[in-house]
């Protein structure tokens, strides 16, 4: 007789909401009844308002219940949940939950479904097919496939991944590296963490494909120290992949060699910038490097290096497995494929929603996110982390697309969407952006180091009503200096939240904004 299986998430979000306590309650109830149940610890499907969401394997498929607390377990057994019995927490088939049903999951197709440390389970759900096809194609054809897919960097500026790979592949060097940026420091973002905790072999497969494509034999995954669960799970997954021949000498029985090492960051936001990350990776203080030279030519330890973020690399197995056309056919404009949108802040349905580019911001916030958790009107949404622009209601018709956001002085970044209701003070939010930059600046360039500190002071004067017209002009000039004079995106992107707050919410600064031309 097959042991009934219960799937309990061990994602950091689910752990924070008590999934370990639920597991212990299930074990106690099982022993009390003399049952023989197999508990499988998975990642999360990303429906955080329903966590811990527990799934039970029945004859008719998996049935979900949630949010489950340890105090609910006895009544769930009494209701016959092992057979999908009715209960107040009964959610039905997970795939039929509207939040999941509307998604197009390429990168997160296995997350929350598989035993994240079982390579056999990974294979059973389509894992390693991309690597097998990559080995049959060879380096040049792999890069061509990634280029044709239209995949762009999922961590910031959206640079075409295929072009980055080809640049490194064409560089001449005895040693090349693949560096995965898992620093994920933006507020309201968690896709990288979820992937590393819930489907680590997907990232390993993507990095191995990248290594074969560009001629790299070593990869590094740089994970922020605030992600202890991701560090633990991904480290264990590397050991398993190495033992099973997926990593190391003769990758998957081929003539290619590739291995991965985890490096842990020390918590500096600026180390999410690729050159500061490389300095930290090398054991130095994380400081932004001037470019050129580009990391593709002179990166980790002075060697040609591909630096991609977690989601970029984890998208590669699906592209190689299903073909470039299947990926490129999803999306909008020049933004092809899917993006894991992370809903956070004052929003009713917080969670990860993977979908093709092209939904409007209003659809994401109001329809998928359900509006605010407080029930008050939505006033603004910030997309792209703490350095993203604040979009007002009048911009909610903007398609979720790199170019569409750029046309309205915004950015998609890592696709974190933070929602605010009508009680938010936008002057305080603008001040926070400047203060955040002043704290997190590496200090190398003057516009970022000094400009952010002066920005806090100027905003304080504006809010107090001191020489408001002059200080508004000064703040706008300061933002322009930081935008064009900073070495990296930390100082260069701070103007996005500040100027958008000034432009769209002038009443929070004491009146209508004054442009430099008008003041003159």
């Amino acid at each position: 007789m097959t042991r009934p299986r219960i799937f309990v998430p061990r994602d950091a979000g689910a752990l924070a909401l008590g999934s370990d306590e639920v597991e212990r309650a299930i074990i106690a109830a099982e022993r009390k009844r003399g049952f023989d149940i197999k508990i499988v610890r998975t990642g999360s499907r990303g429906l955080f308002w329903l966590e811990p969401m527990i799934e039970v394997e029945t004859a008719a498929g998996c049935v979900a219940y949630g949010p489950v607390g340890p105090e609910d377990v006895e009544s769930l057994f009494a209701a016959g949940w092992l057979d999908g019995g009715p209960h107040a927490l009964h959610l039905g088939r997970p795939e039929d939950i509207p939040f999941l049903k509307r998604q197009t999951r390429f990168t997160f197709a296995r997350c929350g479904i598989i035993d994240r440390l079982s390579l056999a389970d990974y294979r059973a759900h389509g894992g390693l097919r991309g690597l097998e096809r990559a080995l049959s194609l060879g380096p040049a054809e792999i890069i061509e496939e990634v280029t044709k897919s239209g995949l762009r960097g999922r961590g910031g500026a959206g640079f075409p991944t295929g072009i980055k790979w080809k640049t490194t592949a064409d560089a001449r060097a005895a040693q090349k590296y693949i560096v995965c940026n898992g620093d994920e420091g933006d507020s309201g973002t968690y896709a990288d963490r979820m992937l590393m905790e819930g489907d680590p072999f997907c990232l390993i497969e993507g990095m191995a494909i990248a290594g074969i494509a560009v001629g790299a034999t070593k990869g590094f995954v740089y994970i922020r120290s605030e992600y202890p669960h991701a560090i633990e799970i991904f480290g264990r997954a590397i050991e398993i992949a190495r033992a099973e021949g997926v990593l190391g000498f003769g990758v998957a029985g081929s003539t290619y060699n590739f291995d991965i090492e985890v490096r842990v960051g020390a918590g500096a936001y600026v180390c999410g910038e690729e050159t500061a990350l490389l300095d930290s990776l090398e054991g130095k203080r994380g400081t932004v490097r001037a470019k050129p030279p580009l990391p593709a030519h002179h990166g980790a330890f002075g060697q040609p290096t591909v630096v991609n973020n977690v989601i970029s690399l984890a998208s590669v197995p699906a592209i190689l497995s299903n073909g470039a056309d299947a990926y490129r056919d999803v999306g909008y404009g020049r933004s092809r494929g899917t993006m894991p949108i992370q809903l956070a802040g004052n929003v009713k349905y917080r969670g990860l929603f993977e979908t093709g580019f092209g939904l409007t911001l209003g659809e994401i916030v109001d329809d998928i996110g359900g509006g605010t958790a407080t029930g008050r009107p939505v006033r603004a949404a910030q997309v792209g982390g703490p350095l993203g622009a604040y979009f007002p209601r009048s911009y909610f018709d903007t398609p979720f697309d790199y170019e569409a956001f750029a046309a309205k002085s915004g950015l998609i970044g890592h696709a974190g969407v933070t929602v605010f209701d009508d009680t938010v003070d936008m002057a305080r939010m603008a001040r926070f952006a400047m203060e955040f930059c002043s704290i997190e600046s590496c200090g190398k360039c003057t516009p970022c180091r000094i400009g952010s500190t002066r920005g806090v002071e100027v905003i304080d004067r504006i809010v107090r009503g001191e020489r408001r017209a002059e200080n508004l002009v000064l703040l706008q000039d300061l933002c322009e200096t930081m935008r064009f004079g900073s070495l990296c995106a930390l100082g260069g992107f701070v103007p996005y939240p500040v100027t958008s707050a000034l432009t769209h919410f002038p009443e929070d600064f004491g009146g209508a904004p004054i442009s430099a031309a008008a003041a003159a």
Side-chain angles (χ1 to χ4, degrees), residues 457-472 508-511:
E457 297 168 355
V458 174
I459 292 173
D460 283 344
R461 290 199 294 269
I462 292 170
V463 171
R464 290 196 300 263
E466 297 177 11
R467 300 167 63 188
R468 182 176 174 278
E470 293 177 35
N471 279 311
L472 279 169
D508 289 13
F509 295 85

Side-chain angles (χ1 to χ4, degrees), residues 105-118:
R105 288 207 163 189
F106 290 165
T107 309
F108 284 80
R110 288 173 292 267
C111 209
I113 295 174
I114 64 170
D115 179 342
R116 68 262 178 89
L117 289 176
S118 169

Side-chain angles (χ1 to χ4, degrees), residues 6 84 120 196-197 271 358 364 395 427 459 470:
I6 296 179
M196 288 187 286
E197 291 180 12
C271 288
I364 293 167
Y395 277 24
I459 292 173
E470 293 177 35

Side-chain angles (χ1 to χ4, degrees), residues 361 389-399 401-411 496 499-500 503-504:
L361 182 58
Y390 293 102
F391 274 20
R393 264 283 176 200
S394 59
Y395 277 24
F396 275 29
D397 61 347
T398 307
D401 161 68
Y402 289 106
E403 281 67 42
F405 266 66
K408 294 189 176 180
S409 299
L411 55 94
Y496 281 96
T499 57
S500 61
T503 301
H504 303 302

